[in-house]
Amino acid sequence: MDKKYIVANWKMNPQTWAEAEQILDFVDDYLGSLGESKEFSLIFCPPFVFLEEAGKVLKTSHFEHEAFLGAQDIFWEDTGADTGEISGPMLNKLGAEYVIVGHSERRWKLGEPDETVNKKLKAILRNAMVPIVCVGERVRDGNFKEFLKEQVEKTFAGLTPDDIGKCIIAYEPVWAISSNPGARPDTPESAIESIHMIREVLIGNWKLEIGNLPKVLYGGSVTSKNAADFIGQKEIDGILVGGASVNKDEFVKILSQI
Ligand code: PEP
């Protein structure tokens, strides 16, 4: 069986590198206690300022070949006068292999439209990194399937089937993300329904072959209490963990469910 992906999206946390290092050391010790039998691949996505140091730590000890470095965002141009932005070649030099794109906090809080997500997604692929593409409806209303279909179509517009096959998709219903008021996790059953729909749109519009379908993860209020319910489903290739990924005890408890 393929290993499950566990993506740790640290968002704008923790506040210091010392705290970040503590989280990594704690997880590293846990990996050491597992020996050879790891059923998952870990992708840590720290804030930009910790990427370089985190990248060095992930090349050592029990992390080596088990854990990978990801960035939380990218700019769509590779060079230019773009104040405040970080380019694909810069991320490459820091050793990032994955980049989150289309996260709902960027789509909704910062107003990034699908067209911007699409340009960033192309920049990630152009720079030979793996996009972790977040999609998900903002509200679960009678229209949510149409919303999701259109979001997927616009997000992946202009990509070849091969390119889409290289992506990891994270289905993250926005209402389930823990930082939103009243958030609650989706159920595995209804997450699987949405994941099926996403796969159908890709197969229908891009004629993707079954062997070339991207992996699809679930994200939204995953904790040690529900991680096994999502991870245990064959249709769900892993989880994207936000809030709980910077709580070292809780994150290791999540890993212990796999
Ligand atoms: C996220 O930020 O993508 C996320 C899933 O957050 P949380 O796990 O905190 O709901």
Side-chain angles (χ1 to χ4, degrees), residues 1 9 11 101 148 154 160 182 205 221 246 249:
M1 207 174 76
N9 175 18
K11 311 192 188 200
V101 67
L148 198 52
K154 288 186 171 170
T160 64
N205 288 29
S221 296
V246 279
D249 297 290

Side-chain angles (χ1 to χ4, degrees), residues 133-258:
V133 191
C134 302
V135 294
E137 75 281 3
R138 202 170 179 186
V139 284
R140 181 63 68 83
D141 59 12
N143 247 354
F144 94 93
K145 289 189 177 163
E146 284 70 40
F147 175 91
L148 198 52
K149 181 171 186 285
E150 189 182 327
Q151 192 184 54
V152 170
E153 286 171 348
K154 288 186 171 170
T155 296
F156 291 94
L159 264 68
T160 64
D162 268 3
D163 282 342
I164 295 178
K166 290 177 192 155
C167 297
I168 295 174
I169 298 177
Y171 170 60
E172 300 208 306
V174 183
W175 48 267
I177 292 190
S178 69
S179 52
N180 293 327
R184 63 189 191 287
D186 202 352
T187 62
E189 296 71 28
S190 95
I192 288 171
E193 239 184 77
S194 298
I195 288 172
H196 273 315
M197 215 205 75
I198 293 167
R199 289 198 168 116
E200 271 165 26
V201 175
L202 296 175
I203 292 169
N205 288 29
W206 280 271
K207 312 287 171 257
L208 284 195
E209 313 263 321
I210 298 293
N212 203 17
L213 281 173
K215 302 282 184 198
V216 188
L217 321 183
Y218 166 77
S221 296
V222 173
T223 65
S224 59
K225 293 202 170 61
N226 59 22
D229 301 338
F230 290 103
I231 286 286
Q233 310 292 332
K234 67 175 179 353
E235 296 87 347
I236 301 181
D237 299 306
I239 46 177
L240 194 159
V241 187
S245 70
V246 279
N247 175 334
K248 58 184 180 7
D249 297 290
E250 178 63 5
F251 190 59
V252 160
K253 259 195 209 163
I254 290 175
L255 298 182
S256 72
Q257 306 299 309
I258 301 163

